[in-house]
Each structure stands twice: as structure tokens, then as C-alpha cells.
Amino acid sequence: LNLTEGRPMTADPQRRIPSLLHPDGSGQFRGKTDLAAACAAAEVVAAEVRIEVQAQLAWFERVVGCPPSHVDGHQHYHVTPIVAPIVAEVMGAAGVTRVRIPHEAGGNLARALCPRCKVVREEAAAVRHIYESHGLLGSDAFVGCTLCGLAYTAEDLLEAIDAQLAYLNGCVVHQTVEI
């Protein structure tokens, strides 16, 4: 689920979901920093979030032929307080049964988290029950926030994974390619 980058799936987004769009009139999403500020300032309209979530779900079902088995929000925006209840309701009604909860317990939490990851960690812990109330089971482990934006070593990554081993049953990795 993407609410931060590129163009929305909603038809006529300038008219239907303006609170999710960058104010420059480009028709693009706001980007993660501007969306965070807009959410904090209560400028994001819940009904518009619902329209875009439904548009992305409809696109997925049309292309793949069935609803997704799980949902994951790009840049963790599916755990923001205004977004989580909507995503949980829409996805739960569609039969989605799993959600990635980016709450990292244990590990090297003494590391300084970036400002966004601090917020994500708190929001993720706070919204788990919202997803569960709509029938979506959340991931029990997550590794990533303690490594965000850092020049971390392989040992740092292994330490973070080791702290989550009791909870892990799978692994998803984002790739970074240096050009």
C-alpha cells in the first residue's frame, strides 16, 4: 500500500483525494516527510485515505484475480493513526488476513532512531489491536528501524535479527543498489 510516492490509483485524484497530494499540483503523492507533517496537522482527510486504499485494493484484485493475503504499507504509513483504522477495515472486509507491524522489540534499541522511525515504532505498537479487531494478524517480529539510515555492519544486522529470532518465521529484505 503506497500513500507516499508517485501517482495514486484513484481516478481524478486532484478532485477526489487532494489531501493526499503534493501541493505543487503535480498529481503526485506528498512524499513521506510532507505526509507525516500533514497527518500530524490533521490535514489528511480520512475519507480520502479510504478512497485511495480501495482503489489500490481494486487494482490488485483486477490484476492478480484475488485479494492480497497480506498488507504492508510503503514507508510504514499503514500504522499512522488516521490510516490504520481505514486500512484495517477495508482490508479485513476484503479477506486479507495478515499485516506487517513494524514494531521492533529488543535488539540494539540504544541506537538513536531517526525521527520517522521513532514515530513508526510508537505508532506500530499502538495500532496492532486495530488490525486484530478486523481479523488481520500482525507480524510478531520486525527488523529495520534500528538500522534505518545508518552505516551499519553485517554484525549490526545479525544482532538485530538475533534479537527477533524467537518471533521470526520468514524474512523480507529490501535491496539497495548503488549506481
Side-chain angles (χ1 to χ4, degrees):
L1 179 68
N2 173 32
L3 299 173
T4 60
E5 294 183 324
R7 295 192 179 278
M9 297 275 181
T10 298
D12 196 11
Q14 299 281 16
R15 182 181 62 80
R16 298 182 65 211
I17 60 167
S19 74
L20 297 177
L21 302 180
H22 197 282
D24 67 3
S26 65
Q28 302 273 336
F29 283 123
R30 290 175 170 263
K32 70 179 181 179
T33 303
D34 194 36
L35 182 60
C39 286
E43 295 171 359
V44 173
V45 178
E48 295 176 17
V49 173
R50 179 179 304 282
I51 290 168
E52 180 59 19
V53 169
Q54 289 171 329
Q56 290 186 31
L57 176 62
W59 177 88
F60 185 94
E61 290 175 336
R62 187 173 58 256
V63 170
V64 177
C66 64
S69 61
H70 64 280
V71 64
D72 178 9
H74 182 52
Q75 298 177 326
H76 313 302
Y77 276 89
H78 66 298
V79 298
T80 58
I82 191 169
V83 175
I86 296 163
V87 174
E89 181 184 334
V90 171
M91 295 298 172
V96 177
T97 60
R98 301 276 192 268
V99 60
R100 184 188 53 124
I101 301 291
H103 181 255
E104 190 167 0
N108 190 356
L109 295 178
R111 281 183 186 250
L113 295 178
C114 75
R116 176 69 188 139
C117 283
K118 285 178 186 176
V119 171
V120 166
R121 187 165 187 271
E122 294 167 6
E123 290 175 343
V127 302
R128 180 180 296 275
H129 74 281
I130 294 171
Y131 282 102
E132 290 173 352
S133 74
H134 289 279
L136 282 83
L137 298 177
S139 52
D140 291 326
F142 176 81
V143 173
C145 286
T146 58
L147 302 174
C148 174
L150 298 174
Y152 57 88
T153 66
E155 290 77 23
D156 293 332
L157 177 60
L158 290 173
E159 178 186 333
I161 292 170
D162 189 52
Q164 303 297 317
L165 278 179
Y167 309 104
L168 291 177
N169 62 6
C171 184
V172 176
V173 178
H174 287 277
Q175 298 178 28
T176 300
V177 178
E178 195 169 307
I179 298 176

PDB file of all heavy atoms in Angstrom, residues 84-118:
ATOM      1  N   ALA A  84      -4.403   3.666   9.796  1.00  0.00           N
ATOM      2  CA  ALA A  84      -4.556   2.284  10.269  1.00  0.00           C
ATOM      3  C   ALA A  84      -6.004   1.807  10.370  1.00  0.00           C
ATOM      4  O   ALA A  84      -6.319   0.714   9.879  1.00  0.00           O
ATOM      5  CB  ALA A  84      -3.833   2.097  11.603  1.00  0.00           C
ATOM      6  N   PRO A  85      -6.920   2.555  10.976  1.00  0.00           N
ATOM      7  CA  PRO A  85      -8.297   2.055  11.074  1.00  0.00           C
ATOM      8  C   PRO A  85      -8.955   1.841   9.707  1.00  0.00           C
ATOM      9  O   PRO A  85      -9.731   0.903   9.526  1.00  0.00           O
ATOM     10  CB  PRO A  85      -9.027   3.136  11.860  1.00  0.00           C
ATOM     11  CG  PRO A  85      -7.971   3.914  12.554  1.00  0.00           C
ATOM     12  CD  PRO A  85      -6.752   3.830  11.680  1.00  0.00           C
ATOM     13  N   ILE A  86      -8.612   2.683   8.758  1.00  0.00           N
ATOM     14  CA  ILE A  86      -9.190   2.567   7.416  1.00  0.00           C
ATOM     15  C   ILE A  86      -8.624   1.349   6.701  1.00  0.00           C
ATOM     16  O   ILE A  86      -9.365   0.545   6.123  1.00  0.00           O
ATOM     17  CB  ILE A  86      -8.930   3.861   6.614  1.00  0.00           C
ATOM     18  CG1 ILE A  86      -9.652   5.024   7.292  1.00  0.00           C
ATOM     19  CG2 ILE A  86      -9.346   3.698   5.160  1.00  0.00           C
ATOM     20  CD1 ILE A  86      -9.165   6.383   6.869  1.00  0.00           C
ATOM     21  N   VAL A  87      -7.314   1.207   6.719  1.00  0.00           N
ATOM     22  CA  VAL A  87      -6.687   0.059   6.074  1.00  0.00           C
ATOM     23  C   VAL A  87      -7.194  -1.232   6.712  1.00  0.00           C
ATOM     24  O   VAL A  87      -7.540  -2.194   6.010  1.00  0.00           O
ATOM     25  CB  VAL A  87      -5.146   0.145   6.148  1.00  0.00           C
ATOM     26  CG1 VAL A  87      -4.504  -1.130   5.613  1.00  0.00           C
ATOM     27  CG2 VAL A  87      -4.640   1.354   5.375  1.00  0.00           C
ATOM     28  N   ALA A  88      -7.269  -1.260   8.029  1.00  0.00           N
ATOM     29  CA  ALA A  88      -7.740  -2.463   8.722  1.00  0.00           C
ATOM     30  C   ALA A  88      -9.165  -2.818   8.305  1.00  0.00           C
ATOM     31  O   ALA A  88      -9.465  -3.989   8.010  1.00  0.00           O
ATOM     32  CB  ALA A  88      -7.663  -2.259  10.240  1.00  0.00           C
ATOM     33  N   GLU A  89     -10.028  -1.835   8.247  1.00  0.00           N
ATOM     34  CA  GLU A  89     -11.423  -2.093   7.880  1.00  0.00           C
ATOM     35  C   GLU A  89     -11.551  -2.555   6.427  1.00  0.00           C
ATOM     36  O   GLU A  89     -12.206  -3.557   6.139  1.00  0.00           O
ATOM     37  CB  GLU A  89     -12.261  -0.838   8.107  1.00  0.00           C
ATOM     38  CG  GLU A  89     -13.735  -1.036   7.778  1.00  0.00           C
ATOM     39  CD  GLU A  89     -14.546   0.233   7.920  1.00  0.00           C
ATOM     40  OE1 GLU A  89     -14.161   1.131   8.694  1.00  0.00           O
ATOM     41  OE2 GLU A  89     -15.580   0.319   7.238  1.00  0.00           O
ATOM     42  N   VAL A  90     -10.931  -1.826   5.515  1.00  0.00           N
ATOM     43  CA  VAL A  90     -11.039  -2.155   4.088  1.00  0.00           C
ATOM     44  C   VAL A  90     -10.413  -3.518   3.798  1.00  0.00           C
ATOM     45  O   VAL A  90     -11.010  -4.362   3.114  1.00  0.00           O
ATOM     46  CB  VAL A  90     -10.393  -1.044   3.218  1.00  0.00           C
ATOM     47  CG1 VAL A  90     -10.288  -1.474   1.761  1.00  0.00           C
ATOM     48  CG2 VAL A  90     -11.188   0.250   3.338  1.00  0.00           C
ATOM     49  N   MET A  91      -9.218  -3.741   4.300  1.00  0.00           N
ATOM     50  CA  MET A  91      -8.521  -4.999   4.017  1.00  0.00           C
ATOM     51  C   MET A  91      -9.187  -6.177   4.732  1.00  0.00           C
ATOM     52  O   MET A  91      -9.293  -7.267   4.180  1.00  0.00           O
ATOM     53  CB  MET A  91      -7.042  -4.895   4.396  1.00  0.00           C
ATOM     54  CG  MET A  91      -6.278  -3.893   3.562  1.00  0.00           C
ATOM     55  SD  MET A  91      -6.257  -4.343   1.804  1.00  0.00           S
ATOM     56  CE  MET A  91      -5.527  -2.872   1.117  1.00  0.00           C
ATOM     57  N   GLY A  92      -9.640  -5.959   5.966  1.00  0.00           N
ATOM     58  CA  GLY A  92     -10.342  -7.024   6.679  1.00  0.00           C
ATOM     59  C   GLY A  92     -11.608  -7.441   5.948  1.00  0.00           C
ATOM     60  O   GLY A  92     -11.893  -8.627   5.801  1.00  0.00           O
ATOM     61  N   ALA A  93     -12.369  -6.471   5.444  1.00  0.00           N
ATOM     62  CA  ALA A  93     -13.594  -6.768   4.696  1.00  0.00           C
ATOM     63  C   ALA A  93     -13.294  -7.508   3.397  1.00  0.00           C
ATOM     64  O   ALA A  93     -14.124  -8.281   2.908  1.00  0.00           O
ATOM     65  CB  ALA A  93     -14.350  -5.477   4.407  1.00  0.00           C
ATOM     66  N   ALA A  94     -12.091  -7.295   2.841  1.00  0.00           N
ATOM     67  CA  ALA A  94     -11.698  -7.959   1.595  1.00  0.00           C
ATOM     68  C   ALA A  94     -11.143  -9.362   1.832  1.00  0.00           C
ATOM     69  O   ALA A  94     -10.826 -10.066   0.881  1.00  0.00           O
ATOM     70  CB  ALA A  94     -10.660  -7.114   0.867  1.00  0.00           C
ATOM     71  N   GLY A  95     -10.998  -9.754   3.097  1.00  0.00           N
ATOM     72  CA  GLY A  95     -10.478 -11.087   3.401  1.00  0.00           C
ATOM     73  C   GLY A  95      -8.983 -11.163   3.610  1.00  0.00           C
ATOM     74  O   GLY A  95      -8.416 -12.252   3.714  1.00  0.00           O
ATOM     75  N   VAL A  96      -8.323 -10.017   3.671  1.00  0.00           N
ATOM     76  CA  VAL A  96      -6.885 -10.001   3.956  1.00  0.00           C
ATOM     77  C   VAL A  96      -6.706 -10.454   5.403  1.00  0.00           C
ATOM     78  O   VAL A  96      -7.455 -10.046   6.287  1.00  0.00           O
ATOM     79  CB  VAL A  96      -6.295  -8.595   3.730  1.00  0.00           C
ATOM     80  CG1 VAL A  96      -4.825  -8.552   4.101  1.00  0.00           C
ATOM     81  CG2 VAL A  96      -6.509  -8.161   2.288  1.00  0.00           C
ATOM     82  N   THR A  97      -5.727 -11.308   5.650  1.00  0.00           N
ATOM     83  CA  THR A  97      -5.569 -11.897   6.986  1.00  0.00           C
ATOM     84  C   THR A  97      -4.281 -11.526   7.707  1.00  0.00           C
ATOM     85  O   THR A  97      -4.132 -11.850   8.880  1.00  0.00           O
ATOM     86  CB  THR A  97      -5.644 -13.430   6.898  1.00  0.00           C
ATOM     87  OG1 THR A  97      -4.589 -13.898   6.033  1.00  0.00           O
ATOM     88  CG2 THR A  97      -6.988 -13.884   6.361  1.00  0.00           C
ATOM     89  N   ARG A  98      -3.351 -10.856   7.020  1.00  0.00           N
ATOM     90  CA  ARG A  98      -2.060 -10.550   7.646  1.00  0.00           C
ATOM     91  C   ARG A  98      -1.659  -9.099   7.370  1.00  0.00           C
ATOM     92  O   ARG A  98      -1.964  -8.546   6.324  1.00  0.00           O
ATOM     93  CB  ARG A  98      -0.954 -11.449   7.090  1.00  0.00           C
ATOM     94  CG  ARG A  98      -1.173 -12.936   7.277  1.00  0.00           C
ATOM     95  CD  ARG A  98      -0.720 -13.368   8.646  1.00  0.00           C
ATOM     96  NE  ARG A  98      -0.639 -14.803   8.788  1.00  0.00           N
ATOM     97  CZ  ARG A  98      -1.615 -15.560   9.228  1.00  0.00           C
ATOM     98  NH1 ARG A  98      -2.768 -15.043   9.530  1.00  0.00           N
ATOM     99  NH2 ARG A  98      -1.448 -16.851   9.370  1.00  0.00           N
ATOM    100  N   VAL A  99      -0.914  -8.530   8.316  1.00  0.00           N
ATOM    101  CA  VAL A  99      -0.383  -7.183   8.159  1.00  0.00           C
ATOM    102  C   VAL A  99       1.013  -7.141   8.782  1.00  0.00           C
ATOM    103  O   VAL A  99       1.258  -7.775   9.810  1.00  0.00           O
ATOM    104  CB  VAL A  99      -1.309  -6.125   8.814  1.00  0.00           C
ATOM    105  CG1 VAL A  99      -1.472  -6.377  10.296  1.00  0.00           C
ATOM    106  CG2 VAL A  99      -0.802  -4.712   8.565  1.00  0.00           C
ATOM    107  N   ARG A 100       1.916  -6.432   8.135  1.00  0.00           N
ATOM    108  CA  ARG A 100       3.249  -6.263   8.721  1.00  0.00           C
ATOM    109  C   ARG A 100       3.175  -5.123   9.722  1.00  0.00           C
ATOM    110  O   ARG A 100       2.796  -4.004   9.398  1.00  0.00           O
ATOM    111  CB  ARG A 100       4.286  -5.921   7.659  1.00  0.00           C
ATOM    112  CG  ARG A 100       5.693  -5.831   8.258  1.00  0.00           C
ATOM    113  CD  ARG A 100       6.639  -5.308   7.243  1.00  0.00           C
ATOM    114  NE  ARG A 100       6.110  -4.060   6.722  1.00  0.00           N
ATOM    115  CZ  ARG A 100       6.759  -2.910   6.723  1.00  0.00           C
ATOM    116  NH1 ARG A 100       7.977  -2.840   7.173  1.00  0.00           N
ATOM    117  NH2 ARG A 100       6.211  -1.814   6.243  1.00  0.00           N
ATOM    118  N   ILE A 101       3.536  -5.420  10.956  1.00  0.00           N
ATOM    119  CA  ILE A 101       3.580  -4.415  12.013  1.00  0.00           C
ATOM    120  C   ILE A 101       5.054  -4.111  12.274  1.00  0.00           C
ATOM    121  O   ILE A 101       5.779  -4.946  12.815  1.00  0.00           O
ATOM    122  CB  ILE A 101       2.896  -4.912  13.312  1.00  0.00           C
ATOM    123  CG1 ILE A 101       1.442  -5.284  13.056  1.00  0.00           C
ATOM    124  CG2 ILE A 101       3.039  -3.885  14.423  1.00  0.00           C
ATOM    125  CD1 ILE A 101       0.526  -4.122  12.749  1.00  0.00           C
ATOM    126  N   PRO A 102       5.529  -2.927  11.904  1.00  0.00           N
ATOM    127  CA  PRO A 102       6.949  -2.613  12.043  1.00  0.00           C
ATOM    128  C   PRO A 102       7.330  -2.178  13.461  1.00  0.00           C
ATOM    129  O   PRO A 102       7.876  -1.099  13.672  1.00  0.00           O
ATOM    130  CB  PRO A 102       7.153  -1.492  11.028  1.00  0.00           C
ATOM    131  CG  PRO A 102       5.837  -0.789  10.994  1.00  0.00           C
ATOM    132  CD  PRO A 102       4.806  -1.859  11.200  1.00  0.00           C
ATOM    133  N   HIS A 103       7.027  -3.040  14.421  1.00  0.00           N
ATOM    134  CA  HIS A 103       7.391  -2.744  15.803  1.00  0.00           C
ATOM    135  C   HIS A 103       8.576  -3.631  16.167  1.00  0.00           C
ATOM    136  O   HIS A 103       8.463  -4.850  16.213  1.00  0.00           O
ATOM    137  CB  HIS A 103       6.227  -3.015  16.758  1.00  0.00           C
ATOM    138  CG  HIS A 103       6.575  -2.697  18.175  1.00  0.00           C
ATOM    139  ND1 HIS A 103       6.836  -3.666  19.104  1.00  0.00           N
ATOM    140  CD2 HIS A 103       6.734  -1.515  18.808  1.00  0.00           C
ATOM    141  CE1 HIS A 103       7.138  -3.099  20.262  1.00  0.00           C
ATOM    142  NE2 HIS A 103       7.084  -1.794  20.097  1.00  0.00           N
ATOM    143  N   GLU A 104       9.687  -3.004  16.402  1.00  0.00           N
ATOM    144  CA  GLU A 104      10.930  -3.717  16.678  1.00  0.00           C
ATOM    145  C   GLU A 104      11.191  -3.718  18.175  1.00  0.00           C
ATOM    146  O   GLU A 104      11.478  -2.680  18.765  1.00  0.00           O
ATOM    147  CB  GLU A 104      12.066  -3.034  15.926  1.00  0.00           C
ATOM    148  CG  GLU A 104      13.353  -3.807  15.934  1.00  0.00           C
ATOM    149  CD  GLU A 104      14.337  -3.226  14.919  1.00  0.00           C
ATOM    150  OE1 GLU A 104      14.009  -2.249  14.237  1.00  0.00           O
ATOM    151  OE2 GLU A 104      15.443  -3.759  14.845  1.00  0.00           O
ATOM    152  N   ALA A 105      11.067  -4.876  18.778  1.00  0.00           N
ATOM    153  CA  ALA A 105      11.341  -5.019  20.208  1.00  0.00           C
ATOM    154  C   ALA A 105      12.738  -5.604  20.380  1.00  0.00           C
ATOM    155  O   ALA A 105      13.229  -6.317  19.517  1.00  0.00           O
ATOM    156  CB  ALA A 105      10.311  -5.936  20.845  1.00  0.00           C
ATOM    157  N   GLY A 106      13.347  -5.328  21.491  1.00  0.00           N
ATOM    158  CA  GLY A 106      14.670  -5.886  21.760  1.00  0.00           C
ATOM    159  C   GLY A 106      15.702  -5.293  20.807  1.00  0.00           C
ATOM    160  O   GLY A 106      15.521  -4.219  20.256  1.00  0.00           O
ATOM    161  N   GLY A 107      16.764  -6.020  20.587  1.00  0.00           N
ATOM    162  CA  GLY A 107      17.799  -5.558  19.672  1.00  0.00           C
ATOM    163  C   GLY A 107      18.549  -4.376  20.243  1.00  0.00           C
ATOM    164  O   GLY A 107      18.476  -4.062  21.427  1.00  0.00           O
ATOM    165  N   ASN A 108      19.255  -3.710  19.387  1.00  0.00           N
ATOM    166  CA  ASN A 108      20.078  -2.588  19.811  1.00  0.00           C
ATOM    167  C   ASN A 108      19.255  -1.299  19.774  1.00  0.00           C
ATOM    168  O   ASN A 108      19.479  -0.415  18.960  1.00  0.00           O
ATOM    169  CB  ASN A 108      21.310  -2.471  18.908  1.00  0.00           C
ATOM    170  CG  ASN A 108      22.309  -1.472  19.446  1.00  0.00           C
ATOM    171  OD1 ASN A 108      22.049  -0.807  20.450  1.00  0.00           O
ATOM    172  ND2 ASN A 108      23.441  -1.361  18.791  1.00  0.00           N
ATOM    173  N   LEU A 109      18.275  -1.212  20.669  1.00  0.00           N
ATOM    174  CA  LEU A 109      17.415  -0.042  20.694  1.00  0.00           C
ATOM    175  C   LEU A 109      18.083   1.151  21.362  1.00  0.00           C
ATOM    176  O   LEU A 109      17.502   2.213  21.463  1.00  0.00           O
ATOM    177  CB  LEU A 109      16.084  -0.371  21.364  1.00  0.00           C
ATOM    178  CG  LEU A 109      15.251  -1.395  20.593  1.00  0.00           C
ATOM    179  CD1 LEU A 109      13.971  -1.706  21.344  1.00  0.00           C
ATOM    180  CD2 LEU A 109      14.938  -0.933  19.191  1.00  0.00           C
ATOM    181  N   ALA A 110      19.325   0.953  21.802  1.00  0.00           N
ATOM    182  CA  ALA A 110      20.071   2.079  22.345  1.00  0.00           C
ATOM    183  C   ALA A 110      20.538   2.998  21.213  1.00  0.00           C
ATOM    184  O   ALA A 110      20.862   4.150  21.446  1.00  0.00           O
ATOM    185  CB  ALA A 110      21.281   1.572  23.132  1.00  0.00           C
ATOM    186  N   ARG A 111      20.538   2.470  19.988  1.00  0.00           N
ATOM    187  CA  ARG A 111      20.902   3.302  18.844  1.00  0.00           C
ATOM    188  C   ARG A 111      19.899   4.431  18.704  1.00  0.00           C
ATOM    189  O   ARG A 111      18.721   4.257  18.950  1.00  0.00           O
ATOM    190  CB  ARG A 111      20.843   2.492  17.554  1.00  0.00           C
ATOM    191  CG  ARG A 111      22.003   1.628  17.307  1.00  0.00           C
ATOM    192  CD  ARG A 111      21.793   0.959  15.950  1.00  0.00           C
ATOM    193  NE  ARG A 111      22.844   0.002  15.733  1.00  0.00           N
ATOM    194  CZ  ARG A 111      23.799   0.165  14.840  1.00  0.00           C
ATOM    195  NH1 ARG A 111      23.813   1.225  14.065  1.00  0.00           N
ATOM    196  NH2 ARG A 111      24.730  -0.741  14.695  1.00  0.00           N
ATOM    197  N   ALA A 112      20.346   5.536  18.263  1.00  0.00           N
ATOM    198  CA  ALA A 112      19.448   6.663  18.025  1.00  0.00           C
ATOM    199  C   ALA A 112      18.628   6.383  16.769  1.00  0.00           C
ATOM    200  O   ALA A 112      19.189   6.140  15.708  1.00  0.00           O
ATOM    201  CB  ALA A 112      20.255   7.943  17.852  1.00  0.00           C
ATOM    202  N   LEU A 113      17.315   6.367  16.921  1.00  0.00           N
ATOM    203  CA  LEU A 113      16.444   6.170  15.775  1.00  0.00           C
ATOM    204  C   LEU A 113      16.253   7.507  15.069  1.00  0.00           C
ATOM    205  O   LEU A 113      16.242   8.560  15.703  1.00  0.00           O
ATOM    206  CB  LEU A 113      15.079   5.649  16.218  1.00  0.00           C
ATOM    207  CG  LEU A 113      15.042   4.262  16.862  1.00  0.00           C
ATOM    208  CD1 LEU A 113      13.615   3.933  17.294  1.00  0.00           C
ATOM    209  CD2 LEU A 113      15.557   3.199  15.909  1.00  0.00           C
ATOM    210  N   CYS A 114      16.069   7.449  13.757  1.00  0.00           N
ATOM    211  CA  CYS A 114      15.746   8.674  13.036  1.00  0.00           C
ATOM    212  C   CYS A 114      14.373   9.141  13.519  1.00  0.00           C
ATOM    213  O   CYS A 114      13.605   8.348  14.082  1.00  0.00           O
ATOM    214  CB  CYS A 114      15.754   8.433  11.525  1.00  0.00           C
ATOM    215  SG  CYS A 114      14.333   7.530  10.893  1.00  0.00           S
ATOM    216  N   PRO A 115      14.039  10.404  13.336  1.00  0.00           N
ATOM    217  CA  PRO A 115      12.751  10.903  13.835  1.00  0.00           C
ATOM    218  C   PRO A 115      11.556  10.109  13.317  1.00  0.00           C
ATOM    219  O   PRO A 115      10.626   9.816  14.070  1.00  0.00           O
ATOM    220  CB  PRO A 115      12.717  12.353  13.338  1.00  0.00           C
ATOM    221  CG  PRO A 115      14.152  12.736  13.214  1.00  0.00           C
ATOM    222  CD  PRO A 115      14.863  11.485  12.777  1.00  0.00           C
ATOM    223  N   ARG A 116      11.568   9.734  12.037  1.00  0.00           N
ATOM    224  CA  ARG A 116      10.433   8.972  11.480  1.00  0.00           C
ATOM    225  C   ARG A 116      10.344   7.587  12.124  1.00  0.00           C
ATOM    226  O   ARG A 116       9.254   7.130  12.450  1.00  0.00           O
ATOM    227  CB  ARG A 116      10.571   8.859   9.954  1.00  0.00           C
ATOM    228  CG  ARG A 116       9.508   8.013   9.297  1.00  0.00           C
ATOM    229  CD  ARG A 116       8.126   8.641   9.332  1.00  0.00           C
ATOM    230  NE  ARG A 116       7.150   7.683   8.854  1.00  0.00           N
ATOM    231  CZ  ARG A 116       5.955   7.506   9.384  1.00  0.00           C
ATOM    232  NH1 ARG A 116       5.551   8.255  10.379  1.00  0.00           N
ATOM    233  NH2 ARG A 116       5.153   6.607   8.911  1.00  0.00           N
ATOM    234  N   CYS A 117      11.467   6.916  12.315  1.00  0.00           N
ATOM    235  CA  CYS A 117      11.438   5.574  12.910  1.00  0.00           C
ATOM    236  C   CYS A 117      10.988   5.598  14.364  1.00  0.00           C
ATOM    237  O   CYS A 117      10.352   4.655  14.835  1.00  0.00           O
ATOM    238  CB  CYS A 117      12.790   4.890  12.763  1.00  0.00           C
ATOM    239  SG  CYS A 117      13.063   4.274  11.084  1.00  0.00           S
ATOM    240  N   LYS A 118      11.291   6.669  15.089  1.00  0.00           N
ATOM    241  CA  LYS A 118      10.792   6.803  16.458  1.00  0.00           C
ATOM    242  C   LYS A 118       9.269   6.819  16.449  1.00  0.00           C
ATOM    243  O   LYS A 118       8.612   6.151  17.251  1.00  0.00           O
ATOM    244  CB  LYS A 118      11.308   8.085  17.111  1.00  0.00           C
ATOM    245  CG  LYS A 118      12.747   8.041  17.519  1.00  0.00           C
ATOM    246  CD  LYS A 118      13.167   9.372  18.118  1.00  0.00           C
ATOM    247  CE  LYS A 118      14.664   9.389  18.394  1.00  0.00           C
ATOM    248  NZ  LYS A 118      15.105  10.686  18.889  1.00  0.00           N
TER     249      LYS A 118
END
